[in-house]
Amino acid sequence: MMNVLILAAGLGTRLRPLTLDMPKPLVPVVDASVLELQAQKARQLGEVVLHVNAHYLADQVEAEAARLGFEKVWLEPEILGTAGPLSRIYRAGYRGGLLVMNGDAYCQFDLARFVEAAVSAGADFALLGVDFPKVNTLRVDSRGRLSGVLKNFGESEGEAVTFSGVSWYSDAALSRMDAAEFNIVNFWKSEVDAGRPPFVDMSQKDALWIDMGSPEGLKRACDARREELGIDSWVGNAPSADSRFVRSVVKCVADIPADASFTDSILYEGATVQPGESVVREIRGRGFCWKL
């Protein structure tokens, strides 16, 4: 049975003050948090064991993980980077390979296709690449193997892609991971240097992938989720056809004046709206207003 780890220990600093009240993986993206959406995608693989790590506002992550049926919440007194949590899971006796996903990215990858490609490639681990020119730092050789990471190690030539945050590690790879390692890129380098470069799957490089760590990314994620659900607006806990709401997500229904209107906006709990106000391309919450 394969293990799945969703990384959820980050501080979410780019989304403060929204993330002063909740960790970024629990920020609602229309009808569900990214943590819940990632768990749903993971379960489409079949029988999996769900893990999540937690540090910032860990009690909230623990409560949500319990509600969603996670096997284990790995509490981190201090942030261990990416390599640390992976090694901990293996050293605790979990076997069957490990699929790793980010708790701050909205994506529409075919995970089953990625895992199948990873296993078929014959490498001990694999990375899922996307085309995001601003940060296309991975370099991939003609065999589809990682040859370098720009400004870090290895070759500067080869096809360039961005690491999506989705990866798969076999038990063999995890057994070689140093428990004290913080930066996963250091492990990648050691494996490349040892002649065991990971496979980089680029077959889904044009699939939807959104880093929702900024206000703009959060808005794009909500827009993509509305499109995926086939709805124009979401108000409270359900889709809405009310003409006052156009391409908007409104969570603070109790605080909305009856004559206010909203276009291309997101309102979280604690947002302030004045009677008769027309809110256009904004994200609001308790004590903040981001104009997009």
Side-chain angles (χ1 to χ4, degrees):
M1 187 178 299
M2 187 168 60
N3 297 281
V4 177
L5 169 65
I6 300 176
L7 299 170
L11 302 178
T13 54
R14 290 180 295 163
L15 283 179
R16 289 184 177 175
L18 177 60
T19 49
L20 292 176
D21 295 328
M22 69 185 88
K24 183 167 55 176
L26 300 193
V27 171
V29 180
V30 186
D31 61 323
S33 68
V34 169
L35 181 65
E36 181 171 358
L37 295 173
Q38 297 286 54
Q40 290 174 3
K41 291 182 183 301
R43 286 195 168 105
Q44 292 174 5
L45 293 168
E47 293 292 323
V48 295
V49 179
L50 292 178
H51 305 256
V52 62
N53 68 336
H55 170 72
Y56 177 64
L57 299 177
D59 56 334
Q60 293 188 35
V61 176
E62 285 187 288
E64 182 66 357
R67 185 184 74 85
L68 295 172
F70 277 68
E71 165 87 5
K72 176 77 173 178
V73 178
W74 298 87
L75 297 178
E76 298 186 10
E78 58 185 49
I79 293 181
L80 301 177
T82 301
L86 274 62
S87 177
R88 285 177 69 188
I89 289 174
Y90 178 81
R91 292 174 191 282
Y94 289 94
R95 298 294 184 268
L98 179 65
L99 179 72
V100 185
M101 307 167 71
N102 275 351
D104 60 358
Y106 181 87
C107 53
Q108 294 180 352
F109 298 125
D110 185 333
L111 295 178
R113 192 170 120 202
F114 166 62
V115 173
E116 181 179 359
V119 173
S120 298
D124 282 350
F125 68 107
L127 315 175
L128 183 58
V130 295
D131 185 22
F132 192 64
K134 288 184 179 179
V135 286
N136 275 351
T137 56
L138 300 189
R139 294 297 182 264
V140 186
D141 66 21
S142 59
R143 302 173 302 149
R145 300 302 175 98
L146 182 71
S147 59
V149 177
L150 195 64
K151 297 182 179 179
N152 194 295
F153 74 90
E155 299 293 331
S156 60
E157 297 181 354
E159 186 163 355
V161 292
T162 293
F163 177 47
S164 67
V166 177
S167 53
W168 170 83
Y169 293 83
S170 68
D171 291 340
L174 293 170
S175 71
R176 297 191 295 269
M177 197 173 290
D178 188 340
E181 186 60 79
F182 182 88
N183 188 347
I184 194 67
V185 176
N186 293 336
F187 175 71
W188 299 350
K189 180 181 185 301
S190 68
E191 290 292 288
V192 170
D193 290 345
R196 297 185 294 263
F199 170 64
V200 182
D201 184 359
M202 297 182 290
S203 68
Q204 301 184 58
K205 68 179 184 179
D206 295 323
L208 181 68
W209 175 79
I210 300 170
D211 174 4
M212 54 158 278
S214 66
E216 294 76 15
L218 177 57
K219 178 62 164 60
R220 287 183 60 219
C222 286
D223 288 346
R225 181 59 178 168
R226 285 191 301 100
E227 182 176 345
E228 185 177 5
L229 293 170
I231 61 173
D232 181 82
S233 293
W234 184 277
V235 179
N237 295 312
S240 174
D242 190 324
S243 61
R244 294 182 300 149
F245 306 98
V246 179
R247 299 183 301 277
S248 294
V249 177
V250 178
K251 292 293 185 179
C252 51
V253 179
D255 302 322
I256 298 301
D259 57 351
S261 63
F262 308 87
T263 303
D264 284 318
S265 295
I266 306 170
L267 277 78
Y268 291 111
E269 295 296 337
T272 299
V273 181
Q274 301 301 320
E277 188 175 5
S278 177
V279 180
V280 179
R281 290 195 57 75
E282 293 183 4
I283 300 178
R284 293 188 188 183
R286 183 172 290 106
F288 72 92
C289 174
W290 295 324
K291 295 186 181 296
L292 301 171

